Amino acid sequence: MRWCLVFGAFLDIFSGFFRYISVFVSNGYGLLVFGQCLGALAQPCFLNAPVALAGNWFSLSERDSVMVIAAMSNPVGNAIGQVLPPFWSMKMVECLHFF
């Protein structure tokens, strides 16, 4: 499991690197798509990790709770990542009228 997570992390790092570089290259669409593909290859390493985590570290009676918490951490983290950036990019007055 450890090597799978390390491999996924490196794929994510390279994915971000290629997507970032594609902004500065003329006709960087190919680099952008390549970076997206690397990110897509890295996702199973992280999305399937809760199953191995629960199976290796927790008893049978605790596995359901651990799976729910681990599986819900990804969508909750994505939701927080969608809500917070507008508050950083807007002025305080605009934030108050956002909702």
Side-chain angles (χ1 to χ4, degrees):
M1 184 169 93
R2 177 181 180 196
W3 291 110
C4 182
L5 292 175
V6 169
F7 178 70
F10 277 113
L11 281 179
D12 264 348
I13 289 169
F14 290 127
S15 168
F17 174 74
F18 283 116
R19 287 183 284 175
Y20 178 72
I21 294 298
S22 72
V23 174
F24 301 107
V25 176
S26 63
N27 277 339
Y29 186 71
L31 281 176
L32 177 72
V33 171
F34 182 69
Q36 286 292 106
C37 289
L38 284 180
L41 289 173
Q43 286 305 306
C45 296
F46 300 116
L47 295 178
N48 295 330
V51 176
L53 175 81
N56 290 335
W57 288 357
F58 295 96
S59 68
L60 190 59
S61 63
E62 298 173 322
R63 286 184 190 166
D64 291 336
S65 301
V66 170
M67 281 299 302
V68 168
I69 292 169
M72 289 305 296
S73 65
N74 190 17
V76 169
N78 287 336
I80 291 170
Q82 295 291 321
V83 171
L84 289 182
F87 290 107
W88 290 330
S89 63
M90 294 188 296
K91 296 178 185 173
M92 188 55 150
V93 175
E94 293 173 354
C95 287
L96 295 175
H97 298 293
F98 184 71
F99 290 104

